[in-house]
């Protein structure tokens, strides 16, 4: 039911229901903001007892307004909310913003009222923001609506901002004003009973004025819709997300490695990563990133030059570049020569370009111009500590002149008195300013990340798999762990290679089975109590012939029987030589669905926690990105004289596991541990798998 949100974001008339005439009331603040912003539509405060409120002519009810208002901003007490919505429906209101609190967030009783509200608006096709929200802002010149409680009006700009926390949203708007960051729309979502983040993404996708999307999220409704929308939009408009609050998934009991490693927020992390969202780790980072993205052209590479009047902070910046995996640009000899021509002899013209404390505003201008023109430079970072002779504002003017019409990002650090920042807002063309080099470098890294999202190939359809009878049968018979024969068969049906195996019912038939597999073989016992087999001595590798297998099998069975471990049978498996151990897995997040995981495997996987997750199904790019995210990824490359591992085959295996997961939501957990990844072009082979079906 995708109704455009014009009635909420671009209403031609607005009623404020529950307008109080008290001078210090919230409605007074909201009416004041509407007037100050110069709202282009009509405003009808509704109050049965007052003639005027805060300078506006007042109406006793919605019915008495001169025309049916398009939008109703509702501030009545909670218990009057349902009657108010009835009245809105009766007069033909199209959109509602419910400021009133005390609904789902407060009590079960409030939640019930919220459900009734939602039923009413859904039945009539009315769209509703809130309840429990702080209002809506649209700065477009033909609308100019500030129906919110911001202490200072939002500047017009290119950032669209949605926030689950109203108070935080308002605080960000206030700070943004100081930083010169402008907004197209702001929507305080409150409880998101009807209009949610996804509805706004649909609007902002096609909203030309919006170039950057900023989301403060506490929960994620309709995760699959978010993934589809955000993956598409993020390639054209960066989406910066700060996610507050952790999911409850951390407490889930899990017997698989994958399940145990999926604690906390990994599902949301995976979703945001997969959707191409830039996740800010802190509120400050969210803000800095929005600032850089709004003002800067895209960064087409990672090579950064630092232009400074102080050595120390430039060193800090260079360290931060390394931390953020950005590169220190090498300047062309011609650029160095041109810099040397006007800088004092003691200045350094490499990178950092250290122009010494005596650097003039014109030195900054020329250095910025010259470095921007260097083909080996993708972005310029200027650092200024309070200069000795001139003022920081003069330097800022020089930088602004040098950065004029730059096609590459320029970010500027000013380590100076705080009065500089508000004063510098008046300087036209001044690049985004930061107080510390590390913050600016993080923002530069964000620009780079936005660019790599923008250049992601168009979504390649993920692999699909038809439903497996094995899983269906396990599901209808009550679920549980699949026996090894079925688990291996399932992997093979999904298209993963499995080391050849045979099952023997007892020690006496083990040698014969091993002969069919081919030597050397690995002997394993299996049974419901055998979770981590090698810990119980139930895995023996390197058996070279039937005699060794027979002895080892009898010995293993006797030992396990003595220890009281029930075995259901023996597995003889071809021994795979020289693979690198990787774990692949499937787990389910109750809210988001099936996740696939890859990590550097073996027994220490839960110690290193070097794993990466995505929502199933996945495409090749997702699989590649998952591998790139592993700290231990170099172990898969050429390593200590060995050729690189067969990464292609690993990517393929991951994509296929994703298809298996997506086709079978009944798979609650699956560990393929290890998948042995052979050297280049030789493929990868699963040697151990556990699958639990519910
Ligand atoms: P578990 O994880 O239950 O202890 P595995 O079947 O994973 O048992 O075996 C333990 C380890 O033995 C694996 O991590 C791997 O190093 C090695 N291994 C098992 N099967 C094979 C095989 N077919 N070829 C080579 N190595 C194997
Ligand atoms: Mg294992």
């Amino acid at each position: 039911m995708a109704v455009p949100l014009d009635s909420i974001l671009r209403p031609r008339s607005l009623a404020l229901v529950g307008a109080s005439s008290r001078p210090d009331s919230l409605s007074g603040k909201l009416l004041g903001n509407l007037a100050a912003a110069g709202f282009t539509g009509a405003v009808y405060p509704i109050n049965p007892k007052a003639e005027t409120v805060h300078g506006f002519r007042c109406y006793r009810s919605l019915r008495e307004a001169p025309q049916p208002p398009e939008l109703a901003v509702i501030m009545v007490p909670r218990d009057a909310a349902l009657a108010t919505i009835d009245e809105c429906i009766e007069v033909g209101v199209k959109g509602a913003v419910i400021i009133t609190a005390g609904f789902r967030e407060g009590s079960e009783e409030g939640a019930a009222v919220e459900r009734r509200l939602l039923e009413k608006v859904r039945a009539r096709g009315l769209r509703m923001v809130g309840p429990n929200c702080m209002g809506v802002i649209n700065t477009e010149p033909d609308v100019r609506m500030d129906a919110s409680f911001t202490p200072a009006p939002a500047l017009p700009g290119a950032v669209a901002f949605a926030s689950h926390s109203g108070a935080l949203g308002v605080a960000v708007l206030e700070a943004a004003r100081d930083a010169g960051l402008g907004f197209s729309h702001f929507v305080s979502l409150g409880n998101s009973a009807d209009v949610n983040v996804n509805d706004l993404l649909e609007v902002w996708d096609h909203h030309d004025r919006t170039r950057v999307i900023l989301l403060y999220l506490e929960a994620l409704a309709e995760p699959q819709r978010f993934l589809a929308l955000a993956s598409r939009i993020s390639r054209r408009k960066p989406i910066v997300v700060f996610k507050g609050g952790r999911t409850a998934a951390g407490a889930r009991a899990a017997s698989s490695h994958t399940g145990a490693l999926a604690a906390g927020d990994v599902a949301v992390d995976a979703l945001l990563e997969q959707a191409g969202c830039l996740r800010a780790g802190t509120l400050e980072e969210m803000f800095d990133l929005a600032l850089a993205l709004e003002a800067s052209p895209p960064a087409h590479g990672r090579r950064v030059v630092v232009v400074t009047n102080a050595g120390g902070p430039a060193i800090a910046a260079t360290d931060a570049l390394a931390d953020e995996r950005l590169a220190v640009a090498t300047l062309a000899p011609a650029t160095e020569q041109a810099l040397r021509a006007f800088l004092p002899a003691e200045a350094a013209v490499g990178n950092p370009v250290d122009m010494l404390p005596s650097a003039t505003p014109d030195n900054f201008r020329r250095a910025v111009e010259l470095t921007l023109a260097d083909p080996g430079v993708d972005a310029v970072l200027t650092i200024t500590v309070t200069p000795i002779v001139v003022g920081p504002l003069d330097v800022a003017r020089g930088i602004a002149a040098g950065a004029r019409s730059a096609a590459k990002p320029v970010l500027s650090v000013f380590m100076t008195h705080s009065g500089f920042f508000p004063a510098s807002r008046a300087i036209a063309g001044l690049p985004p300013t930061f107080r510390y080099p590390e913050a600016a470098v993080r923002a530069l890294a964000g620009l780079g990340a936005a660019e790599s999202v923008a250049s992601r190939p168009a979504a390649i359809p993920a692999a699909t798999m038809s439903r497996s009878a094995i899983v269906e049968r396990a599901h209808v018979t009550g679920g549980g762990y699949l026996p090894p024969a079925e688990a291996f068969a399932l992997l093979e049906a999904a298209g993963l290679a499995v080391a050849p195996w045979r099952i023997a019912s007892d020690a006496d038939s083990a040698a014969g089975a091993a002969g069919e597999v081919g030597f050397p073989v690995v002997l394993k016992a299996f049974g419901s109590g055998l979770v981590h087999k090698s810990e119980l001595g139930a895995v023996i590798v390197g058996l070279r012939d039937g005699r060794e297998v027979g002895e080892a099998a009898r010995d293993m069975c006797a030992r396990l029987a003595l220890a009281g471990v029930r075995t259901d049978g023996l597995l003889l498996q071809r021994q795979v030589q020289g693979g690198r151990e990787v774990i692949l897995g499937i787990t389910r997040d109750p809210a988001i669905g099936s996740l696939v995981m890859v990590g550097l495997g073996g027994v220490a996987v839960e110690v290193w926690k070097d794993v990466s997750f995505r929502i199933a199904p996945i495409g090749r790019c997702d699989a590649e990105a998952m591998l790139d995210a592993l700290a231990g990824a170099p172990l898969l490359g050429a390593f200590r004289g060995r050729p690189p591992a067969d990464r292609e085959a690993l990517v393929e295996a991951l994509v296929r596991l994703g298809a298996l997961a997506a086709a079978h939501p009944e798979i609650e957990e699956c560990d393929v541990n290890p998948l042995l990844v052979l050297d280049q072009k030789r493929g990868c082979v699963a040697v151990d798998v556990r699958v639990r079906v519910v």
Side-chain angles (χ1 to χ4, degrees):
M1 199 188 60
V3 181
L5 298 178
D6 279 4
S7 58
I8 286 167
L9 290 166
R10 315 176 50 82
R12 276 154 300 192
S13 52
L14 176 163
L16 179 60
V17 190
S20 155
S21 51
R22 282 202 328 273
D24 59 348
S25 63
L26 284 177
S27 41
K29 177 67 189 159
L30 195 131
L31 285 169
N33 279 356
L34 274 172
F39 179 47
T40 55
V43 178
Y44 310 127
I46 310 293
N47 179 329
K49 296 195 199 90
E51 288 288 313
T52 61
V53 291
H54 309 285
F56 287 84
R57 156 99 212 262
C58 201
Y59 301 88
R60 280 187 298 181
S61 73
L62 280 169
R63 280 177 224 100
E64 290 185 18
Q67 53 170 330
E70 223 175 313
L71 173 66
V73 177
I74 298 173
M75 301 180 70
V76 298
R78 187 197 76 192
D79 292 333
L82 288 169
T84 303
I85 280 293
D86 285 339
E87 201 183 337
C88 286
I89 289 167
E90 183 192 317
V91 303
V93 167
K94 301 276 186 306
V97 172
I98 305 193
I99 309 276
T100 311
F103 292 86
R104 192 180 62 204
E105 80 285 6
S107 63
E108 194 32 58
E109 191 194 341
V113 182
E114 187 172 315
R115 282 195 294 275
R116 298 245 299 286
L117 264 182
L118 184 62
E119 278 162 24
K120 284 179 188 289
V121 300
R122 288 271 159 95
R124 292 310 190 93
L126 201 84
R127 297 310 306 263
M128 169 176 80
V129 167
N132 181 31
C133 80
M134 290 274 230
V136 175
I137 297 174
N138 181 348
T139 65
E140 291 174 83
D142 60 334
V143 181
R144 297 203 304 266
M145 174 179 71
D146 181 348
S148 83
F149 304 105
T150 44
L155 297 171
V159 179
F161 178 25
S163 179
H164 274 143
S165 159
L168 182 127
V170 167
V172 167
L173 291 182
E174 192 177 21
R177 196 183 163 80
D178 287 347
L181 178 64
F183 293 85
S184 52
H185 297 159
F186 164 66
V187 178
S188 164
L189 284 164
N191 296 359
S192 293
D194 175 37
V195 171
N196 65 19
V197 172
N198 294 330
D199 299 312
L200 292 171
L201 286 179
E202 264 171 4
V203 171
W204 293 334
D205 187 12
H206 303 291
H207 188 242
D208 291 341
R209 209 173 275 274
T210 293
R211 285 186 291 104
V212 178
I213 295 170
L214 194 60
L215 306 176
Y216 172 84
L217 304 180
E218 285 170 0
L220 202 53
E222 307 175 308
Q224 294 293 342
R225 183 172 161 221
F226 179 87
L227 180 59
L229 275 168
S231 316
R232 190 177 77 233
I233 298 170
S234 62
R235 287 198 277 126
R236 291 182 298 109
K237 304 185 182 193
I239 304 177
V240 179
V241 176
F242 181 87
K243 166 80 171 57
R246 301 268 136 186
T247 64
R252 243 174 331 146
S255 63
S256 66
H257 290 295
T258 309
L261 288 160
D265 230 11
V266 295
V268 172
D269 268 329
L271 182 84
L272 294 176
E273 182 76 33
Q274 206 162 342
C277 296
L278 308 176
R279 188 162 191 183
T282 62
L283 288 169
E284 195 179 3
E285 207 179 311
M286 168 181 98
F287 194 82
D288 287 347
L289 199 47
L291 199 62
L293 287 164
E294 199 231 10
S296 304
H300 288 295
R302 318 190 72 84
R303 301 163 304 174
V304 180
V305 64
V306 179
V307 174
T308 180
N309 69 352
I315 293 172
T318 314
D319 287 344
L321 288 176
D323 289 344
E324 297 292 338
R325 298 209 241 173
L326 294 170
V328 178
T330 308
L331 295 179
T335 310
E336 293 195 356
Q337 247 165 37
L339 287 166
R340 201 171 290 292
F342 68 89
L343 290 176
E346 313 79 66
V349 297
N351 181 9
V353 179
D354 185 352
M355 306 189 295
L356 310 179
S358 57
T360 65
D362 199 55
N363 289 161
F364 269 97
R365 176 185 66 77
R366 291 172 74 177
V368 169
E369 271 172 5
L370 283 166
T371 49
L372 273 173
D374 189 314
V377 169
D378 298 311
V380 176
L381 176 63
T382 72
I383 301 178
T384 310
V385 301
T386 310
I388 297 166
V389 182
V390 294
L393 286 169
D394 301 314
V395 171
R397 280 183 207 99
I399 292 170
R404 188 153 295 145
S405 67
K408 300 172 185 174
V410 180
L411 301 188
S412 289
V413 175
F414 282 88
M415 302 181 78
T416 187
H417 56 88
S418 56
F420 163 84
F421 292 92
S424 70
R425 298 295 153 244
I427 301 173
L430 181 65
T433 54
F434 300 83
R435 286 164 202 261
Y436 293 99
E438 293 82 0
V441 169
R442 263 200 311 277
L444 272 176
L447 291 177
E451 192 46 27
S452 48
V453 171
S455 57
R456 277 184 182 182
I460 303 165
T464 54
M465 177 187 172
S466 47
R467 298 264 308 158
S468 149
I470 295 175
V471 178
E472 269 175 11
R473 205 177 325 113
H475 172 67
V476 297
T477 55
Y481 287 98
L482 296 183
E486 291 191 355
F488 281 122
L490 181 63
L491 274 195
E492 288 192 292
L496 280 88
V498 166
W501 53 273
R502 288 284 184 281
I503 300 246
S505 51
D506 54 30
D508 295 334
S509 52
E516 291 173 34
V517 165
F519 295 100
V521 298
V522 182
L523 168 72
K524 306 179 187 184
F526 61 86
S528 49
L530 279 162
V531 178
H532 299 300
K533 297 178 287 297
S534 43
E535 281 171 22
L536 294 164
V539 177
I540 297 178
V541 299
L543 301 173
R544 287 165 299 179
D545 53 39
R547 194 187 49 80
E548 285 189 13
V549 169
E551 273 172 21
R554 278 184 289 279
D555 178 56
M556 183 184 283
C557 289
R559 238 181 325 106
L560 291 172
L562 206 62
V565 179
R566 213 196 97 178
T567 54
D568 295 340
L570 298 171
L571 182 81
L572 288 309
Q573 190 178 49
R574 171 91 50 83
Q575 179 151 342
V576 179
Q577 307 293 350
R580 280 166 244 199
E581 299 206 358
V582 164
I583 176 169
L584 304 188
I586 299 172
T587 185
R588 278 189 66 79
D589 179 273
I592 292 179
S594 297
L595 304 172
V596 284
M597 182 194 84
V598 65
L600 293 182
V603 284
V605 58
E606 287 189 36
V607 176
W608 300 118
K609 295 190 168 58
D610 188 13
V611 291
S612 163
F613 287 87
R614 288 291 182 278
I615 317 299
I618 59 169
R620 300 185 68 82
C621 293
D622 296 314
E624 295 274 5
M626 288 173 82
L627 295 180
D628 289 341
L630 299 178
L635 293 172
L636 296 170
F639 182 69
R640 300 193 118 207
R642 284 184 69 175
D646 195 339
R647 186 179 159 109
E648 269 299 292
L650 175 55
V651 164
E652 186 63 35
L654 252 177
V655 168
R656 286 168 185 262
L657 194 78
L660 172 69
H664 303 96
E666 304 89 341
I667 297 182
E668 185 70 14
E669 316 179 70
C670 166
D671 273 349
V672 180
N673 187 29
L675 178 82
L676 296 172
V677 186
L678 303 174
D679 291 348
Q680 220 167 24
K681 301 241 187 309
R682 309 184 71 155
C684 54
V685 189
V687 300
D688 184 29
V689 57
R690 274 166 65 79
V691 182
R692 188 163 67 86
V693 171
V694 289

